[in-house]
Amino acid sequence: MTTQTIEAILADITTLPVDAIVNAANSSLLGGGGVDGAIHRAAGPELLAECRRIAEKRRDLAGGPCPAGDAVISGAYKLPCKKIIHTVGPVWYGGSHNEPALLASCYRKSLLLAEEAGLHSIAFPGISTGVYGYPKELAAVVAMETVRETLKSAPGITKVVFVCFDQESFRLYNA
Ligand code: AR6
């Protein structure tokens, strides 16, 4: 059996030469601030062009091109990774609006898309923990538990990296 590793690092996700990086997008898929803005800036305008095509094909879905909890895959253009998986986290409204299930769905669907695409290594940012306001500690627990569980049905994924952008998140993941 091949081993599957999970690690946390302190880094800018746009610099990582993994098979896939995950973007914390919004349901329009057309870019924004935070990690989404950084990924679009580093990948170049072709990424936005592809995202527009994906959004156009999915425009009739309830909840917009990419509802919270869902994920889509694109090319990576100028980035050192091979693919970008765009997922949309829930906005935090206090925790009783299905936020944990939606956040878990982001991690699960992203991993399953990577598996389906034949990718082996994947890096996640702290989805929803910026502008969307999900408490970092609670989000880290959902992320870790969901990844551990989903890896059982994604045998092709050998490496999962939790990319922390600040010391506090890095401490949480290591704890
Ligand atoms: N590398 C790794 N992590 C990063 C980077 C980076 N370069 N930049 C920020 N982070 P956010 P959300 C961390 O706000 O909360 C966008 O406008 C950051 O410290 O990017 O899911 C979208 O278009 C935080 O922990 O995403 C949506 O509208 C985490 O990434 C909305 O923001 C996520 O912060 C999504 O909000």
Side-chain angles (χ1 to χ4, degrees):
M1 207 182 106
T2 44
T3 52
Q4 295 177 301
T5 63
I6 301 178
E7 64 179 78
I9 63 170
L10 200 52
D12 173 350
I13 201 166
T14 63
T15 64
L16 303 179
V18 287
D19 289 347
I21 65 166
V22 177
N23 181 17
N26 61 65
S27 57
S28 76
L29 295 174
L30 301 181
V35 72
D36 195 7
I39 288 173
H40 275 272
R41 272 194 304 280
E46 288 167 290
L47 175 60
L48 181 57
E50 183 178 0
C51 286
R52 277 192 204 290
R53 293 193 294 275
I54 297 170
E56 178 60 21
K57 279 192 199 136
R58 297 168 54 98
R59 71 178 188 277
D60 295 332
L61 285 189
C66 194
D70 209 352
V72 302
I73 189 165
S74 77
Y77 303 97
K78 292 183 182 153
L79 291 183
C81 57
K82 293 181 187 150
K83 293 282 183 186
I84 302 169
I85 293 171
H86 308 261
T87 190
V88 179
V91 175
W92 178 259
Y93 290 115
S96 55
H97 291 74
N98 212 25
E99 294 95 330
L102 290 170
L103 186 62
S105 174
C106 291
Y107 284 93
R108 189 164 52 245
K109 287 199 176 176
S110 297
L111 280 172
L112 296 176
L113 266 183
E115 169 80 8
E116 200 181 293
L119 304 172
H120 304 299
S121 56
I122 181 168
F124 285 97
I127 298 161
S128 284
T129 64
V131 187
Y132 281 2
Y134 207 116
K136 286 180 196 288
E137 188 167 359
L138 300 181
V141 173
V142 171
M144 191 63 88
E145 284 178 353
T146 309
V147 165
R148 282 214 182 108
E149 189 56 37
T150 310
L151 278 178
K152 295 177 193 159
S153 12
I157 308 287
T158 53
K159 186 175 172 182
V160 177
V161 184
F162 289 117
V163 183
C164 305
F165 207 50
D166 57 87
Q167 288 285 354
E168 184 202 347
S169 306
F170 187 57
R171 266 197 309 275
L172 287 173
Y173 277 98
N174 283 305

